[in-house]
Amino acid sequence: MWTTGAEQVEQAVGECVGLLGTVTGRDWHGPRAGRLEWSCREAAEHIADDLIAYAGQLAGRESEAYSPFEISLEEGTDNAGVLRVIGATGTLLAAAVRTTPPEVRAFHPYPFRSANREGFAAMGVAEVLLHTHDIAEGLGVTYEPDPALCDFVLRRIFPHVQPGPTPWRTLLWATGRGELPGRPALTEWRWSNNLVIDAERLTLQGVTPAAAADLSTVGDGGFAWLGGAPADGTRVGAGLVYKQYEDGVHRPDWGMYALVRREDGRALGAMGFHGVPDEAGRVEIGYDLVAAARGHGYATEALRALSAWALDRPETRVVVAVVERGNRPSQNVLARAGFTRVAADPEHLTYELRASGDR
């Protein structure tokens, strides 16, 4: 069943408070938190800072910057008091996630300057898991979170990271806190919220590995679909996206996008690339719509937007689409979007759209 992440925030915070609550009588100011420069106490306060900041971004619908406030603890607050604040701020983030509409995006700098409610939930869970680990390491306490929480984070904000032997070890490696056989140690890292590309009547919303896994079976991927379900082609494409993720070759910018109508938030179809541009700068694109959305120009609008985005990238020179000879509606979409037919075989026609300086 699809989740927005509120329950995961609550679970992560509950595990954190439960574990650290057993060592509140220890000195948190002196010991360093794992590999961080912060003390264990500073890391604990940072967890609360992040949780309330993320809640504020969603609640305030902040679109350009962080909401201009910060949290401060009363002088004399003891370690148990810090955990009370973590519990309260975690509850606030969970409430913000539950009450924020799916189409809302708020500012976060990495990497596309916005995130939706699921992204903020995943970032909040990540902050809790990782800094609880840091504090536990500094205090010599054993900590290993629920693997499902780690998987929740990885599939949403680490789409570029191939799954490893366990979700927890993979998350530690992906954040420079551990080692994985056959992978170089990381000294720098960023998580990655999904990209959203604007069109006139639509937004093209990047499909995360979590959404792709759900769509490839019988789920909705967190989208409200016109007609109640995606087209079969979307489910097939989502399965390919998730396979790329499992194989470690998924590049989220060059993956699948759900086409979401602005007026009502309904997903109408999907569009995406078959992979990254090749050495010649060629990238292939594909798409489909649910039956009820066809004939209204949505595919043409989305194709123009996504092709323009691709051709604005330095690694791309030409966008390619291959359609069946009998698929006249798709051929018309390509023609309206500015594509030119360049090749044919008995079953398929090939169309191209080139960058303006490469015609």
Side-chain angles (χ1 to χ4, degrees):
M1 183 177 179
W2 188 257
T3 176
T4 60
E7 296 86 355
Q8 284 74 17
V9 171
E10 292 168 335
Q11 181 183 348
V13 168
E15 290 185 5
C16 164
V17 172
L19 174 72
L20 298 182
T22 66
V23 290
T24 53
R26 302 263 298 274
D27 173 23
W28 289 14
H29 291 277
R32 179 174 165 178
R35 305 182 186 188
L36 304 180
E37 296 299 326
W38 296 330
S39 69
C40 291
R41 172 63 180 244
E42 289 170 327
E45 294 180 4
H46 178 77
I47 293 174
D49 284 339
D50 280 334
L51 292 171
I52 193 62
Y54 294 161
Q57 292 303 98
L58 287 175
R61 307 294 194 260
E62 298 288 346
S63 61
E64 301 297 330
Y66 280 114
S67 186
F69 75 93
E70 61 182 21
I71 189 173
S72 62
L73 276 64
E74 291 184 352
E75 185 175 351
T77 299
D78 60 10
N79 295 335
V82 176
L83 295 183
R84 287 169 53 201
V85 175
I86 290 174
T89 52
T91 298
L92 290 171
L93 176 56
V97 170
R98 283 195 174 96
T99 56
T100 297
E103 66 274 11
V104 169
R105 296 186 73 85
F107 173 82
H108 188 279
Y110 305 128
F112 304 116
R113 299 183 63 80
S114 73
N116 61 10
R117 61 187 184 182
E118 293 158 20
F120 277 105
M123 291 187 289
V125 172
E127 295 285 357
V128 174
L129 300 186
L130 296 170
H131 293 315
T132 301
H133 161 78
D134 298 332
I135 296 166
E137 191 172 68
L139 297 176
V141 179
T142 300
Y143 170 67
E144 184 164 341
D146 183 344
L149 290 176
C150 307
D151 200 47
F152 173 83
V153 171
L154 289 166
R155 293 189 188 195
R156 284 162 177 79
I157 58 174
F158 289 91
H160 50 291
V161 173
Q162 182 179 18
T166 67
W168 180 226
R169 288 182 62 192
T170 304
L171 183 58
L172 290 177
W173 173 83
T175 57
R177 290 170 167 83
E179 299 179 353
L180 282 182
R183 302 194 195 185
L186 297 182
T187 56
E188 295 182 356
W189 59 274
R190 293 286 188 204
W191 54 49
S192 180
N193 283 289
N194 64 327
L195 174 63
V196 172
I197 298 171
D198 289 325
E200 182 180 353
R201 295 173 296 167
L202 306 170
T203 57
L204 283 65
Q205 302 183 15
V207 172
T208 64
D214 194 54
L215 284 169
S216 67
T217 54
V218 296
D220 59 19
F223 299 99
W225 291 90
L226 184 67
D232 289 343
T234 294
R235 294 206 186 279
V236 172
L240 295 174
V241 168
Y242 193 73
K243 180 65 164 56
Q244 290 179 334
Y245 168 68
E246 288 185 313
D247 292 343
V249 296
H250 176 54
R251 298 297 175 264
D253 305 12
W254 299 101
M256 172 183 281
Y257 294 80
L259 313 183
V260 180
R261 191 162 57 188
R262 291 180 185 274
E263 67 178 44
D264 58 4
R266 294 287 178 179
L268 309 179
M271 183 173 291
F273 303 103
H274 291 193
V276 299
D278 63 19
E279 294 181 355
R282 295 169 61 87
V283 65
E284 186 172 347
I285 199 168
Y287 49 88
D288 71 353
L289 293 182
V290 299
R294 295 169 189 166
H296 301 282
Y298 292 122
T300 301
E301 179 180 324
L303 185 57
R304 286 172 177 159
L306 192 55
S307 297
W309 174 86
L311 291 172
D312 195 46
R313 302 284 291 264
E315 62 266 45
T316 313
R317 296 177 59 187
V318 57
V319 179
V320 180
V322 179
V323 297
E324 295 177 351
R325 275 188 174 273
N327 191 345
R328 292 295 303 175
S330 188
Q331 294 167 33
N332 292 337
V333 166
L334 290 162
R336 287 194 295 267
F339 282 67
T340 301
R341 197 175 94 177
V342 296
D345 64 31
E347 296 182 355
H348 298 93
L349 304 176
T350 301
Y351 288 76
E352 289 184 351
L353 181 65
R354 291 184 171 271
S356 59
D358 196 50
R359 298 185 188 278

